[in-house]
Amino acid sequence: MITSAFEYHRPSNLAGALTVLEEHGDDARVIAGGHSLIPMMKLRMADVPHLVDLQDIADLKGITVEVGTVTIGAMTTQHDLINNKALLAAAPIIHEAALQIADPQVRYMGTIGGNVANGDPGNDMPGLMQCLDATFTLVGPDGTRSVKAREFYEAAYMTEREDGEILTQISFSVTNSGFAYEKQKRKIGDYATAACAVLITKEDGKVTSASVAMTNLSDVPVLSEAAGAALVGTSCDAIAMKAAVAAALQDIDPTEDNRGPVEFKIHVAGIIISRAIARAWSRA
Amino acid sequence: MKDEVTREERVTNLKGLGSSRKRVEDARFTQGKGHYVDDINLPGMLTGDFVRSPYAHARVKSINIDAAMALDGVVAVLTAKDLEPLSLHWMPTLAGDKQMVLADGKVLFQGQEVAFVVAKDRYIAADAVDLVEVEYEELPVIVDPFKSLQSDVVLREDLDPTAPGAHGPRKHHNHIFTWEAGDEEGTNAVIDDADVVATEEMYYHRTHPCPLEPCGSVASMDKVNGKLTLYGTFQAPHVVRTVASLLSGIEEHNIRVVSPDIGGGFGNKVGVYPGYVCSIVASIVTGVPVKWVEDRMENLMSTAFARDYWMKGKISATKEGKITGLHCHVTADHGAFDACADPTKFPAGFMSICTGSYDIPIAYLGVDGVYTNKAPGGVSYRCSFRVTEAVYFIERMIEVLAIELNMDAAELRRINFIKKEQFPYDSALGWEYDSGDYHTAWDKALKAVDYEGLRKEQAERVAAFKRGETRTIMGIGLSFFTEIVGAGPVKNCDILGMGMFDSCEIRIHPTGSAIARLGTISQGQGHATTFAQILASEIGIPADSITIEEGDTDTAPYGLGTYGSRSTPVAGAATAMAGRKIRAKAQMIAAYLLEVHDDDVEFDVDRFVIKGAPERFKTMGEIAYAAYNQAIPGLEPGLEAVSYYDPPNMTYPFGAYVCVMDIDVDTGVPKINRFYALDDCGTRINPMVIEGQIHGGLTEALAVALGQEIAYDDMGNCKTATLMDFFLPTAWEVPNFETDFTVTPSPHHPIGAKGVGESPHVGGVPCFSNAVQDAFRPFGNRHTNMPHDHWRIWKTANDLGMHD
Ligand SMILES: Cc1cc2nc3c(=O)[nH]c(=O)nc-3n(C[C@H](O)[C@H](O)[C@H](O)COP(=O)(O)OP(=O)(O)OC[C@H]3O[C@@H](n4cnc5c(N)ncnc54)[C@H](O)[C@@H]3O)c2cc1C
């Protein structure tokens, strides 16, 4: 549990960070809150000869809510997400989900950018961002580009982001949908046995749109379009709910670990999804 | 005298027995000012780190250290070959077996120590570990003790398969010992004839004490004056000194062992680990101090585990529920080496306390110890030797018998308790229970929780569940435990030949304050607080004016250390006895000063007074001063005493616990709604410290019952080597605990105290487990194994058809 030696860089602006990344290529990696990366380095599962600390880059921090759009800087901590009033009004699901991540100590350090860029299927923010249909902004040597959260994840720890790119911000539309983030875990500080994010909008007693995304039930976050579709047009009654859960379960592919075997995870996933839908509907 | 304080105020000022005095240790611990092994940094000190085996069973074909040695800053790489000339490549274990210090030809568990790298700092050492090239040839792995006893694979090639082991004949090359207590034939006869017999098999899973501070040591060999100083995480520093002397050949007076602050032990720091030996050898080889401190994964994977008992029980009773006999067989998985920490004559510890709190006329216990490819250990994790296993066994057997009899489990306990008038009580398996009043404690507990009301509520919940109105069921966990602590009488208890007495040495300073040194060592129990209180009441000097010191073998009297709740029963008794010697001399001094006969004065709180004329007195302060500045005929100057206490018997604390739990059958998530714990630890020294101990023990009980385990896959890979998977509960998971007590003093202990640190763990584990199992009882559950994590609880519901 001792890292191997590394060079520590602490640029004060984005250009500086990009330069170090370009110079060292594969040998360099950015560090945000370090609460995923440092454990990997201590276990010597990640070998990072050049560590580029982003914490002095002021532009990467902060939350703005303007003209119907929420923009969150990559270096904004989970603690800040929880305590931002404007964000609570614009997307209360983030508050609910962030409170279920780890413990206060981890949340003081861990950032939203690190959480979504990491690519660990256990991270809660990626599924949430897919549910919100968020857009990630990546800045690299060739300029700036946008990638949809729903298209960002390829496999465990494999994302659309190129090695030389830095994720700078995350944006999505303000939402007043009914929401829920439901998570089952063994204890504080554990990743999900199963977790589900749901947003539902309602008009005249019917679902007009629904978005259902899941965490740690596959090697990538899973947005179940079929589950959403099964709810639209219904009054979220028992039959619709059952159809949505069945559809969602079609889209997941959990693996056995110390939390339990696949059969258990699928069963629990079904329960968690239906609870998330029910709670989101009750708030719609 | 006009400013005289009242007698009551004098008692309060003393902060003696019964005072909820604040812990004196906490000022430094809560401010981060503790001083632990890893805080020790000596000039020129090097750091050691282990190359460990990735395999559970493999032959070591070769070890190439060249690349590691070539790394700048690496001073030495030790392998078994280097230790062999010193005969230190193997070391004796506390259980009479021996254990490899560094892999000698093969490895027997994942994480086993293979080579020891010594470098200028911790980082270089870790880099060098990666550079040591070890060539392994994998061997078949055995992680199941039953398969082990059938297997042709010889795990311990160093042992003669036909020769007896430390505890008698061995039945198979992977068998360690058979240990028996009681009357098997008689027990079988009673069971065969009984009205009702309940049989059950249960696995008490392997877990780990996981103290916050892992194990470590700093060895410093001073070659000029031939002295070895060894700082380490030792629960028994004096025993370590003796062992170090016997192993190294360094005379015992030339070895100083120091246990500084210890960040929790729970049994994990009783054993002797290869790291200690390697740090000593490395210091001898390099001539400078060498530190070794393991990390969390190393602690979980390689240092002493707890439990891992496969228990098979038979209990018989009359139709009315009076228990007539108990039969227990244990297959004990001891891992690769038998490194259990038990008194020498008790290879299965005090497992024979498994008749519990019940008047069982006849019983039998047989234990077979077995080698497997798992880490060695088998320590008493927050319990006296194997008492947690014993109490879990009997408290589950009672529940199973209640099912068999279709009887309420609380009532079944009540009609079988040993009665108050039966104490001292001789158990069928040979223990003499010192004192108890079980019925009073039980009735108080059941009344406190409104037991009948709870059962009604549960019945309503079952009905609601069956009607489809709820998916949450309710469990009422009961447990009544009797511990056996305070090892122990020298006539039958020893560790490596050292009798399990303990000691206290007291010096009163001229100005009336004092220092007392003991053979024990606190790891968080608060000895500096409570032992001062015992002494305050005995010698009339305020606890605040008494320093308690432990852990330095150069200054403290010899003692066997702290584990098995033995400190208060044994060292606490020594403290009281030494205090009484001080008081006896003080009486003579007081009589001299008051110019009366010795018998004419009597002790009163903080002074000696003339009988019948209490206005004429000498305070302990005045007496202390006189001891150093007056020539008193017939008395030596000074005021000091030492006592070595050999306890006449163990002490038997007991308690009654109730847990009320909800279980979500769809997710397997339990929720504890209430936990009530009544403890009787005899005389209560410091109620606040007792409460703290109970909260801690219950927290660890919750952990073990609900998820904490050391699990292996079939290849012998440890699957739970980090705190992500190994469950250490936080404030979030822990419910509110309600504590209560009765007081039944120990008749043979000088102040009637029994020890309490481990009771809540011993009684808590079956209570949490019984709550889970009781919730499923109305749906047909009889027994399911711990740990009751979400998926296992879910599986119970699933197996009972509750998801259909
Ligand atoms: C005990 C514990 C429990 C936890 N429990 C949970 C949990 O329940 N749910 C959960 O979601 N998470 C959990 N986490 C993870 C925690 O939320 C992490 O903080 C988070 O996953 C990563 O954020 P970070 O800022 O620490 O990123 P870092 O660890 O610094 O980085 C993670 C990865 O992302 C890359 N990266 C970071 N920022 C950027 C960027 N701006 N651009 C490009 N790449 C970047 C890094 O190079 C690295 O590869 C837990 C962590 C711990 C230690």
Side-chain angles (χ1 to χ4, degrees):
Chain A
M1 302 274 261
I2 297 283
T3 67
S4 43
F6 54 84
E7 250 349 288
Y8 179 74
H9 306 265
R10 190 159 167 165
S12 56
N13 56 43
L14 196 58
L18 290 168
T19 308
V20 185
L21 288 184
E22 197 163 10
E23 198 177 316
H24 299 285
D26 258 7
D27 278 354
R29 206 144 144 192
V30 301
I31 182 167
H35 272 50
S36 288
L37 184 56
I38 291 175
M40 299 293 268
M41 290 170 70
K42 285 185 167 183
L43 291 167
R44 299 198 172 206
M45 284 154 111
D47 182 27
V48 186
H50 292 272
L51 201 58
V52 187
D53 193 336
L54 301 181
Q55 66 174 303
D56 278 355
I57 308 177
D59 294 351
L60 293 180
K61 280 180 206 158
I63 299 167
T64 57
V65 181
E66 271 169 16
V67 286
T69 300
V70 178
T71 307
I72 305 175
M75 288 297 287
T76 307
T77 64
Q78 286 147 10
H79 173 80
D80 290 337
L81 296 180
I82 290 168
N83 290 289
N84 188 287
K85 293 232 165 62
L87 184 61
L88 180 63
I93 192 171
I94 297 212
H95 185 265
E96 181 160 304
L99 275 173
Q100 297 181 62
I101 292 177
D103 52 48
Q105 282 111 315
V106 173
R107 298 196 295 254
Y108 281 129
M109 295 303 292
T111 65
I112 188 168
N115 201 299
V116 300
N118 194 28
D120 182 333
N123 280 137
D124 289 290
M125 290 293 173
L128 184 59
M129 292 303 140
Q130 292 197 339
C131 188
L132 284 161
D133 196 15
T135 302
F136 299 159
T137 304
L138 301 171
V139 178
D142 303 332
T144 303
R145 64 182 179 121
S146 296
V147 182
K148 286 290 204 183
R150 293 179 180 180
E151 274 137 35
F152 189 70
Y153 299 96
E154 294 166 350
Y157 300 103
M158 304 270 288
T159 66
E160 267 296 311
R161 187 181 63 82
E162 301 289 337
D163 274 348
E165 286 180 317
I166 291 173
L167 190 152
T168 55
Q169 65 181 41
I170 292 153
S171 57
F172 51 87
S173 300
V174 168
T175 155
N176 54 11
S177 305
F179 66 93
Y181 194 78
E182 186 80 22
K183 177 177 177 182
Q184 179 165 338
K185 54 185 172 181
R186 295 170 296 178
K187 56 174 181 180
I188 286 296
D190 191 20
Y191 292 95
T193 303
C196 181
V198 175
L199 289 169
I200 292 178
T201 50
K202 172 163 105 175
E203 244 170 70
D204 301 330
K206 300 272 185 233
V207 176
T208 52
S209 74
S211 149
V212 178
M214 291 158 286
T215 296
N216 222 12
L217 290 165
S218 179
D219 69 340
V220 287
V222 178
L223 177 87
S224 178
E225 284 175 10
L231 294 173
V232 172
T234 74
S235 57
C236 225
D237 49 43
I239 297 168
M241 196 101 103
K242 218 171 156 187
V245 169
L249 293 182
Q250 285 298 311
D251 290 337
I252 62 173
D253 183 18
T255 49
E256 173 166 353
D257 58 23
N258 286 335
R259 294 177 188 84
V262 172
E263 176 201 15
F264 162 70
K265 289 195 171 179
I266 291 175
H267 189 268
V268 167
I271 302 290
I272 296 299
I273 296 162
S274 62
R275 286 181 187 172
I277 294 173
R279 196 160 74 237
W281 173 247
S282 75
R283 288 162 164 174
Chain B
M1 270 190 270
K2 42 182 177 10
D3 285 331
E4 176 62 7
V5 288
T6 65
R7 187 171 189 279
E8 207 177 309
E9 284 167 328
R10 288 194 277 122
V11 171
T12 308
N13 291 344
L14 217 50
K15 297 189 190 169
L17 291 183
S19 158
S20 279
R21 175 185 191 222
K22 284 195 180 150
R23 299 196 344 148
V24 296
E25 297 91 338
D26 290 348
R28 73 176 189 282
F29 290 153
T30 55
Q31 294 180 63
K33 301 280 195 228
H35 190 65
Y36 300 92
V37 170
D38 206 21
D39 294 323
I40 293 167
N41 289 303
L42 303 176
M45 189 179 77
L46 302 173
T47 302
D49 194 4
F50 280 111
V51 176
R52 292 179 181 274
S53 171
Y55 300 110
H57 196 195
R59 222 165 276 296
V60 177
K61 306 287 282 182
S62 67
I63 303 176
N64 184 339
I65 65 167
D66 295 349
M69 284 302 290
L71 187 70
D72 202 23
V74 174
V75 177
V77 180
L78 304 178
T79 65
K81 277 206 186 72
D82 303 301
L83 302 188
E84 196 171 351
L86 303 163
S87 292
L88 285 174
H89 54 321
W90 287 76
M91 62 180 184
T93 69
L94 297 179
D97 194 1
K98 53 185 181 144
Q99 174 176 350
M100 287 180 215
V101 173
L102 291 172
D104 183 20
K106 72 188 275 195
V107 286
L108 286 153
F109 67 94
Q110 188 186 51
Q112 189 180 327
E113 299 78 3
V114 174
F116 190 68
V117 172
V118 185
K120 288 231 160 75
D121 67 43
R122 186 73 184 83
Y123 293 88
I124 297 170
D127 287 345
V129 162
D130 280 353
L131 295 174
V132 175
E133 294 157 22
V134 186
E135 196 191 333
Y136 297 96
E137 178 192 312
E138 287 183 70
L139 295 168
V141 172
I142 308 176
V143 290
D144 175 329
F146 298 99
K147 287 185 187 153
S148 185
L149 288 178
Q150 306 295 324
S151 174
D152 293 338
V153 177
V154 179
L155 298 180
R156 291 288 299 276
E157 291 163 350
D158 58 295
L159 300 177
D160 173 353
T162 58
H167 308 289
R170 298 165 62 218
K171 296 180 201 161
H172 178 268
H173 50 252
N174 295 333
H175 179 249
I176 310 172
F177 64 82
T178 299
W179 188 72
E180 294 177 289
D183 173 357
E184 183 164 33
E185 226 174 279
T187 304
N188 286 339
V190 166
I191 291 175
D192 288 346
D193 277 355
D195 295 350
V196 182
V197 179
T199 320
E200 194 52 73
E201 286 178 30
M202 59 191 91
Y203 176 47
Y204 199 142
H205 60 286
R206 178 177 277 234
T207 182
H208 193 283
C210 194
L212 283 188
E213 177 205 25
C215 299
S217 57
V218 177
S220 176
M221 183 72 212
D222 181 335
K223 288 194 173 168
V224 176
N225 59 28
K227 288 203 185 278
L228 170 68
T229 307
L230 180 63
Y231 304 88
T233 47
F234 309 130
Q235 287 182 237
H238 297 273
V239 181
V240 169
R241 186 186 67 192
T242 303
V243 174
S245 173
L246 293 173
L247 286 185
S248 66
I250 302 172
E251 279 194 88
E252 204 166 348
H253 73 282
N254 276 332
I255 302 177
R256 174 178 169 221
V257 174
V258 182
S259 294
D261 281 334
I262 295 185
F266 313 114
N268 186 238
K269 292 167 182 168
V270 173
V272 175
Y273 296 120
Y276 303 156
V277 178
C278 287
S279 68
I280 296 173
V281 175
S283 179
I284 293 172
V285 170
T286 60
V288 289
V290 175
K291 178 190 277 186
W292 164 74
V293 176
E294 64 184 2
D295 65 28
R296 178 63 57 202
M297 288 181 79
E298 294 180 292
N299 179 253
L300 286 170
M301 284 175 77
S302 71
T303 62
F305 73 92
R307 325 285 151 87
D308 216 342
Y309 259 31
W310 298 82
M311 307 186 282
K312 213 171 151 172
K314 259 191 259 175
I315 189 164
S316 62
T318 63
K319 285 194 285 296
E320 295 74 37
K322 187 80 192 74
I323 300 169
T324 54
L326 178 73
H327 188 287
C328 175
H329 182 267
V330 181
T331 301
D333 186 338
H334 284 216
F337 307 97
D338 187 10
C340 287
D342 293 311
T344 307
K345 296 188 192 75
F346 298 91
F350 303 154
M351 181 67 198
S352 51
I353 196 75
C354 66
T355 53
S357 314
Y358 311 103
D359 184 13
I360 302 180
I362 191 162
Y364 167 78
L365 166 70
V367 182
D368 282 294
V370 185
Y371 290 121
T372 59
N373 290 120
K374 294 164 150 181
V379 293
S380 318
Y381 167 11
R382 206 165 184 145
C383 65
S384 193
F385 313 99
R386 299 288 187 187
V387 173
T388 312
E389 290 90 322
V391 171
Y392 184 74
F393 170 78
I394 185 65
E395 289 303 289
R396 284 303 305 147
M397 289 311 293
I398 289 281
E399 294 284 321
V400 173
L401 179 62
I403 293 170
E404 202 73 45
L405 287 159
N406 195 21
M407 200 171 163
D408 178 76
E411 184 56 21
L412 180 60
R413 284 181 175 84
R414 191 198 316 271
I415 62 177
N416 284 290
F417 281 142
I418 300 162
K419 296 189 191 70
K420 189 179 169 186
E421 54 275 15
Q422 286 177 283
F423 292 94
Y425 172 83
D426 289 314
S427 81
L429 293 177
W431 298 108
E432 186 193 300
Y433 292 30
D434 61 348
S435 64
D437 182 357
Y438 299 167
H439 287 94
T440 301
W442 196 228
D443 290 345
K444 188 172 181 185
L446 297 185
K447 192 158 169 241
V449 299
D450 181 19
Y451 181 65
E452 273 171 31
L454 287 174
R455 284 291 174 207
K456 265 195 213 113
E457 193 185 334
Q458 185 188 36
E460 281 159 20
R461 189 79 73 78
V462 170
F465 184 88
K466 289 186 173 162
R467 289 193 302 268
E469 292 164 13
T470 180
R471 298 294 292 162
T472 304
I473 57 173
M474 174 179 164
I476 304 164
L478 303 175
S479 85
F480 195 99
F481 64 92
T482 297
E483 266 230 282
I484 168 169
V485 307
V490 173
K491 63 176 188 284
N492 58 2
C493 290
D494 73 274
I495 288 201
L496 293 173
M498 282 329 121
M500 294 180 75
F501 59 84
D502 227 288
S503 59
C504 176
E505 184 189 278
I506 305 168
R507 290 183 192 174
I508 312 294
H509 305 315
T511 50
S513 64
I515 182 165
R517 297 189 170 100
L518 292 92
T520 43
I521 174 73
S522 184
Q523 306 125 38
Q525 293 89 339
H527 289 179
T529 307
T530 51
F531 287 143
Q533 290 181 250
I534 296 178
L535 211 48
S537 287
E538 290 293 341
I539 63 175
I541 289 176
D544 288 347
S545 300
I546 302 171
T547 296
I548 298 292
E549 214 182 76
E550 301 173 307
D552 185 336
T553 59
D554 263 10
T555 52
Y558 205 99
L560 271 275
T562 295
Y563 42 86
S565 282
R566 66 184 300 281
S567 299
T568 293
V570 193
T575 304
M577 298 310 269
R580 286 172 195 183
K581 290 184 187 174
I582 297 273
R583 209 164 74 192
K585 184 167 177 186
Q587 179 165 4
M588 293 189 254
I589 298 172
Y592 172 79
L593 296 175
L594 291 164
E595 297 178 352
V596 294
H597 192 271
D598 289 355
D599 293 341
D600 294 335
V601 295
E602 63 186 1
F603 186 66
D604 180 48
V605 186
D606 57 354
R607 62 192 58 184
F608 276 93
V609 300
I610 293 185
K611 285 180 187 165
E615 68 287 354
R616 290 190 58 209
F617 61 84
K618 287 289 167 195
T619 64
M620 284 304 290
E622 292 169 313
I623 294 167
Y625 197 62
Y628 289 92
N629 79 348
Q630 295 214 16
I632 302 173
L635 282 184
E636 287 178 3
L639 195 50
E640 294 191 10
V642 58
S643 171
Y644 282 76
Y645 188 80
D646 177 10
N649 189 6
M650 312 281 185
T651 62
Y652 297 77
F654 59 93
Y657 292 177
V658 183
C659 173
V660 183
M661 187 186 276
D662 274 350
I663 287 175
D664 177 336
V665 298
D666 291 321
T667 58
V669 176
K671 181 171 173 287
I672 296 150
N673 290 323
R674 192 159 181 200
F675 198 102
Y676 168 90
L678 179 150
D679 274 274
D680 191 322
C681 57
T683 303
R684 290 159 62 83
I685 298 166
N686 181 323
M688 190 185 65
V689 168
I690 291 174
E691 207 160 278
Q693 290 291 311
I694 290 169
H695 288 182
L698 289 175
T699 300
E700 286 180 320
L702 171 137
V704 170
L706 299 186
Q708 186 180 82
E709 67 175 321
I710 294 287
Y712 291 87
D713 67 13
D714 290 343
M715 300 298 293
N717 297 307
C718 180
K719 298 197 292 178
T720 51
T722 76
L723 296 186
M724 181 57 74
D725 288 308
F726 185 86
F727 176 38
L728 266 198
T730 66
W732 187 265
E733 288 85 16
V734 178
N736 184 43
F737 295 125
E738 300 164 50
T739 56
D740 204 345
F741 62 95
T742 55
V743 178
T744 312
S746 167
H748 62 77
H749 186 278
I751 61 162
K754 286 188 172 183
V756 73
E758 304 172 329
S759 296
H761 192 69
V762 168
V765 176
C767 192
F768 286 110
S769 178
N770 281 345
V772 174
Q773 318 234 21
D774 180 72
F776 288 106
R777 178 175 166 179
F779 303 91
N781 174 62
R782 194 181 156 92
H783 174 80
T784 54
N785 284 329
M786 296 188 292
H788 305 293
D789 57 3
H790 297 172
W791 98 258
R792 287 182 177 95
I793 291 178
W794 175 87
K795 186 172 182 304
T796 304
N798 201 54
D799 290 347
L800 293 171
M802 296 169 83
H803 297 145
D804 302 341

